[in-house]
């Protein structure tokens, strides 16, 4: 009997201990969550959010931080009158766990609202409707029905809404369906793998597809999977509703003022994206537009000791020689200067062609100076890459090049590594993080092509046609080209 009583006492002790522990945990969780309630945020002056490093969320672009989600969160912070602090999660699962634990106010990360996630977090009002798109490589057999997925290599991001959709397909229509989930790769990397023919298919959201498709000419989408889904910010279940309600007010205002659709258009619309045009269009526009700016380019070329045609080629690649051009990230004017660069270069009005050309040329010359230990022509190509993606990212790619046994001062070696900055495995360990590293490679290639065309256009009698091998530069030894050696592909 005594034994029995002792056991009972022990059990009671244990039970009350466990209960206390539970209470402490709940209070702790609630108190850590409550630091992100509206009043606390206003008092501390800081809004802490979490996101992912990806082309539709948050990344370093030229000399500024960019991304749809980042800009949206920045606007919300302004709306609240506080400073934004951003943490980047490695995987989607880490991201949800951080929100769940109340370590941040919310996640702004292109998250799809799914029933499974709603068990863990509380979603705010949705700001974008998306469809899941199946991506495949042009030239391969077009997948038309779900059955065409069987027996193929299908890779998606781990813990994504795409993975969740595949699970539900497997449980219902397609029990034989198999796929691979990667949490060391993000969506642009998977699209790149489809482009390279390394995998058959991946799934991306329609907004991701819009942001990426232009950079992967061999990739397309054949079908949409499932219903339309919503993207929304995810809040902790432990916080009260004060911040979430504020976000509702904010989104309503964003909608009413048209600011939300403007932001969507900038990131996902096709209209403002400057595409690569063919040679004929280039030459036609050179006839129609270049004469307006030629003298300005020539003047700056003398000031900075560079070939004016190279500056003109940059201007064409940036804006098609349109003084009022604007890109989706808000860079503006003929030389597409960011606000920061314009300020640094003393440009007051970015839409004034003379100021833009002056500022852009000075900025390019400044970048060339930063790489003055590098021999020409590599120095020029590397400075151009920096003009496009930012010197920080170029340095990151140089470090990767060196680590891999390449020569960081050779464009040929560097251009192989720049695209790696879009792969998590690499950008995870770099100083400036994710970059669309494939862009500067294409950028430099285009400028070289435009430059060659401008030089060729100046020849009184084009003599290249009779004996020019395929792939050879339009430049000849007596083309009057001084500053930079011939612009043939450096191999
Ligand atoms: N909207 C998707 C999700 O919430 C994004 C996944 C991805 O980009 O990999 O899971």
């Amino acid at each position: 009997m005594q034994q029995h009583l002792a056991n009972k006492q022990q059990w009671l002790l244990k039970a009350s201990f466990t209960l206390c522990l539970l209470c402490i945990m709940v209070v702790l969780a609630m108190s850590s969550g409550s630091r992100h309630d509206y009043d606390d945020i206003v008092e501390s002056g800081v809004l802490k959010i979490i996101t992912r490093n990806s082309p539709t969320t948050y990344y370093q672009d030229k000399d500024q931080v960019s991304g749809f989600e980042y800009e949206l969160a920045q606007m919300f912070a302004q709306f609240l009158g506080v400073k934004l602090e951003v943490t980047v999660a490695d995987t989607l699962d880490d991201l949800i766990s951080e929100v769940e634990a109340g370590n941040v106010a919310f996640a702004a990360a292109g998250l799809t609202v799914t029933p499974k996630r709603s068990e863990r977090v509380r979603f705010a009002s949705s700001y974008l409707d998306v469809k899941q798109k199946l991506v495949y490589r042009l030239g391969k057999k077009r997948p038309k029905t779900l059955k065409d997925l069987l027996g193929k290599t299908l890779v998606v991001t781990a813990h994504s809404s795409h993975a969740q959709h595949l699970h539900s397909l497997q449980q219902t229509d397609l029990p034989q369906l198999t796929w691979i989930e990667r949490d060391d790769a993000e969506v642009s990397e998977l699209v790149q793998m489809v482009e390279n023919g390394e995998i058959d298919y991946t799934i991306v959201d329609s907004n991701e597809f819009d942001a990426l498709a232009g950079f992967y000419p061999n990739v397309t989408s054949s079908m949409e999977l499932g219903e339309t889904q919503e993207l929304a910010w995810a809040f902790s279940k432990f916080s009260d509703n004060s911040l979430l309600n504020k976000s509702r007010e904010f989104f309503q205002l964003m909608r009413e003022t048209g600011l939300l659709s403007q932001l969507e258009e900038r990131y996902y619309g096709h209209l403002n994206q400057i595409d690569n045009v063919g040679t004929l269009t280039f030459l036609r526009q050179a006839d129609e537009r270049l004469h307006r700016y030629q003298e300005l380019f020539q003047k700056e070329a003398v000031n900075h000791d560079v070939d004016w045609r190279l500056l003109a080629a940059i201007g064409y690649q940036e804006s098609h020689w349109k003084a009022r051009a604007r890109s989706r990230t808000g860079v503006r004017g003929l030389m597409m200067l960011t606000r920061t660069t314009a300020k640094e270069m003393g440009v007051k009005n970015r839409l004034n062609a003379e100021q833009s050309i002056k500022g852009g040329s000075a900025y390019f010359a400044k970048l060339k100076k930063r790489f003055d230990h590098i021999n020409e022509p590599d120095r020029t190509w590397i400075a151009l890459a920096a003009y496009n993606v930012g010197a920080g990212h170029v340095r990151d790619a140089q470090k990767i090049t060196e680590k891999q046994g390449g020569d960081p001062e050779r464009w040929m070696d560097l251009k192989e590594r720049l695209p790696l900055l879009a792969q998590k495995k690499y950008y995870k360990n770099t100083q400036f993080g994710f970059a669309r590293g494939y862009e500067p490679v294409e950028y430099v290639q285009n400028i070289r092509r435009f430059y060659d065309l401008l030089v060729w256009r100046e020849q009184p009698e084009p003599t290249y046609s009779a004996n020019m091998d395929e792939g050879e530069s339009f430049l000849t030894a007596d083309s009057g080209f001084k500053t930079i050696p011939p612009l043939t592909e450096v191999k």
Side-chain angles (χ1 to χ4, degrees), residues 399-414:
K399 283 184 200 146
I400 297 176
T401 309
E402 198 161 21
K403 242 191 224 149
Q404 295 188 343
D407 182 350
E409 298 185 0
R410 280 182 68 186
W411 173 243
M412 188 194 88
D413 287 6
L414 195 62

Side-chain angles (χ1 to χ4, degrees), residues 37-187:
D37 292 338
Y38 174 62
D39 287 343
D40 304 303
I41 288 171
V42 172
E43 199 183 313
S44 69
V46 183
L47 173 68
K48 289 187 185 161
I49 65 146
I50 193 159
T51 187
R52 299 178 289 142
N53 222 185
S54 92
T56 56
T57 50
Y58 174 83
Y59 56 91
Q60 179 79 29
D61 187 19
K62 288 199 180 183
D63 52 5
Q64 62 187 1
V65 177
S66 199
F68 180 86
E69 289 287 351
Y70 172 71
E71 281 202 40
L72 203 55
Q74 190 78 53
M75 286 173 170
F76 184 47
Q78 267 167 23
F79 173 80
L80 300 177
V82 297
K83 234 181 84 207
L84 182 74
E85 216 177 275
V86 182
T87 315
V88 177
D90 259 358
T91 66
L92 278 163
D93 198 42
D94 289 354
L95 186 116
I96 301 276
S97 304
E98 282 296 286
V99 175
E100 210 177 11
N103 292 337
V104 288
F106 59 87
L111 286 179
T112 303
V113 178
T114 67
K116 205 168 159 205
R117 284 180 180 158
S118 301
E119 287 168 16
R120 298 175 64 186
V121 295
R122 190 180 293 148
F123 282 105
S125 23
S126 118
Y127 51 81
L128 197 68
D129 285 346
V130 296
K131 283 260 191 168
Q132 298 195 11
K133 286 183 163 233
L134 184 77
V135 169
Y136 76 104
R137 192 178 196 283
L138 277 172
K140 291 207 175 170
K141 198 164 162 252
R142 181 188 169 92
K144 292 199 188 90
T145 66
L146 288 175
K147 288 222 167 63
D148 294 331
L149 303 183
L150 300 179
K152 300 281 184 193
T153 338
L154 167 60
V155 186
V156 296
T157 340
H159 314 289
S160 61
S161 51
H162 316 139
Q164 287 180 17
H165 185 70
L166 293 175
H167 278 290
S168 69
L169 277 179
Q170 193 186 46
Q171 276 155 23
T172 52
D173 306 333
L174 279 180
Q176 318 95 298
L177 183 66
T178 56
W179 67 93
I180 297 166
E181 290 183 27
R182 297 264 308 255
D183 70 12
D184 59 339
E186 59 89 26
V187 53

Side-chain angles (χ1 to χ4, degrees), residues 319-382:
S319 69
H320 292 186
W321 297 315
K322 284 187 192 146
R324 304 190 62 81
R326 128 176 250 148
S327 90
R328 66 198 157 72
T329 47
V331 271
R332 303 211 64 183
L334 201 141
M335 298 296 268
M336 284 290 185
L337 304 178
T338 61
R339 218 181 275 279
T340 326
T341 308
K343 208 163 157 203
E344 194 186 325
M345 296 293 124
V347 172
K348 294 220 164 59
N349 177 4
R350 289 185 291 169
L351 301 185
N352 174 302
E354 184 171 0
Q355 288 188 32
S356 183
I357 292 176
K358 211 167 164 198
S361 307
Y363 184 54
F364 175 61
K366 187 179 157 190
L367 287 168
K368 272 191 75 177
K369 220 167 261 149
R370 276 179 86 153
F371 297 104
D372 62 359
H373 51 288
I374 298 177
N375 293 331
E376 289 291 7
D378 298 73
R379 176 181 170 196
T380 292
W381 313 146
I382 293 171

Side-chain angles (χ1 to χ4, degrees), residues 52-62 64 66 88 186-189 212 216 389 393 396 418-424 426-439:
R52 299 178 289 142
N53 222 185
S54 92
T56 56
T57 50
Y58 174 83
Y59 56 91
Q60 179 79 29
D61 187 19
K62 288 199 180 183
Q64 62 187 1
S66 199
V88 177
E186 59 89 26
V187 53
S188 63
E189 216 172 319
L212 286 168
Y216 299 101
V389 76
H393 287 309
D396 280 344
L418 273 163
L420 301 181
L421 297 179
Q423 291 185 27
K424 196 187 255 181
Y426 294 97
Y427 71 64
K428 192 160 94 182
N429 301 317
T430 59
Q431 192 182 344
F432 294 91
F434 172 87
R436 292 176 304 200
Y438 34 86
E439 250 188 80

